[in-house]
Amino acid sequence: MRPITHLYAPFPVIDTKRGTGRTTLMLVDAFHEAKNGTSVFVLFPTHALARHAASQFEDTFRCTVYSNLLIGVGNPAREVERYRMKNPDGIHTWTEAEIRKFQERWPEGTTADLVIALMLYTGAARSDAVQLGPRNIKDGRLQYERQKMKGRDGVLVDIPLHPELQRRLEPLMDQDTFLQTDWGKPRSANGLTQSIRGWVEAAKLPHCTSHGLRKACARRLAEAGATPH
């Protein structure tokens, strides 16, 4: 049973597939013209997304209340019950043993190994990983602007290119993107998610996710003595 979060607004359904940012703006517009006795039902594909979105909505509505955009309405998102996550520690972080097990099933030279290496040695999100290509490599460094931050005052990611990753990317310098499909087309973030799901299942690591790789990257950096900045 998928979780349903309900809030008061003047239209019945919001499509969360449009993205959290657009959904939040739609909710704010709805509450700006809110009428008593009407409601909106927001259907989320996962419990984690429902919990995350509820927190974002509360922050957004707090700002609109302070800006006097919701006079007499208050902060409706504060009343939404949060779904209790089964895992209080959040998304699982890949261990070194799990990384080795995956690489044993998908050795170097496979697309699966390339994907995992690219995300593990850069900490890139799915939406960024599928966009990366030779144009992002300059003087032995990987540089890109996060897709999530484009159009805003985002920070340019500028990191040294790890030797393990550089070796895998060298044969791909004539491609537009490193993770392009077999037909030479850019791979989508959702398509990448589906592929990773199949690869981890085949490696008998069903609890491992792409986001868990980013956490593994952060763990490695912390263990190596890296600082937040």
Side-chain angles (χ1 to χ4, degrees):
M1 181 68 180
R2 291 181 174 181
I4 296 179
T5 302
H6 62 86
L7 299 171
Y8 289 102
F11 52 89
V13 178
I14 288 178
D15 181 7
T16 56
K17 293 181 179 180
R18 293 175 179 268
T20 303
R22 288 189 62 183
T23 301
T24 302
L25 289 175
M26 290 169 67
L27 278 168
V28 172
D29 288 341
F31 275 92
H32 183 58
E33 301 177 359
K35 298 178 182 179
N36 292 331
T38 56
S39 62
V40 57
F41 290 87
V42 186
L43 182 62
F44 296 95
T46 66
H47 294 110
L49 182 56
R51 182 181 177 88
H52 175 68
S55 296
Q56 285 201 322
F57 292 162
E58 183 174 349
D59 291 341
T60 300
F61 286 126
R62 183 183 301 115
C63 292
T64 57
V65 169
Y66 290 158
S67 301
N68 293 323
L69 294 178
L70 297 178
I71 299 175
V73 177
N75 190 337
R78 187 175 299 164
E79 305 301 323
V80 177
E81 183 179 355
R82 302 294 194 272
Y83 176 80
R84 293 182 180 274
M85 300 294 291
K86 294 181 180 179
N87 181 7
D89 297 325
I91 296 174
H92 171 71
T93 303
W94 290 51
T95 65
E96 293 302 316
E98 289 168 340
I99 294 172
R100 288 193 298 270
K101 184 176 180 180
F102 184 92
Q103 293 174 329
E104 289 172 0
R105 175 60 180 83
W106 302 103
E108 188 171 342
T110 62
T111 302
D113 173 77
L114 174 63
V115 169
I116 271 30
L118 185 62
M119 301 183 76
L120 183 62
Y121 290 114
T122 65
R126 297 172 305 132
S127 57
D128 296 316
V130 296
Q131 297 289 333
L132 296 178
R135 65 187 177 282
N136 297 107
I137 297 181
K138 299 178 182 178
D139 299 323
R141 300 183 70 83
L142 183 71
Q143 301 177 346
Y144 68 94
E145 183 180 352
R146 289 205 59 194
Q147 293 292 315
K148 190 175 182 179
M149 302 300 294
K150 281 193 172 182
R152 291 181 281 177
D153 296 329
V155 177
L156 177 70
V157 176
D158 185 351
I159 57 177
L161 192 61
H162 194 283
E164 287 288 330
L165 179 58
Q166 183 176 13
R167 185 178 70 249
R168 289 169 168 83
L169 297 183
E170 283 178 349
L172 310 175
M173 297 304 290
D174 60 340
Q175 299 182 176
D176 290 333
T177 59
F178 295 129
L179 301 184
Q180 67 184 32
T181 66
D182 294 337
W183 298 275
K185 301 296 183 180
R187 193 182 298 268
S188 69
N190 289 336
L192 181 62
T193 298
Q194 294 299 323
S195 296
I196 292 176
R197 187 169 297 138
W199 294 329
V200 296
E201 288 284 351
K204 301 188 185 312
L205 298 167
H207 55 290
C208 293
T209 65
S210 59
H211 189 75
L213 281 170
R214 299 182 69 193
K215 296 180 70 173
C217 176
R219 172 182 56 75
R220 282 183 168 185
L221 289 172
E223 291 172 349
T227 62
H229 304 288

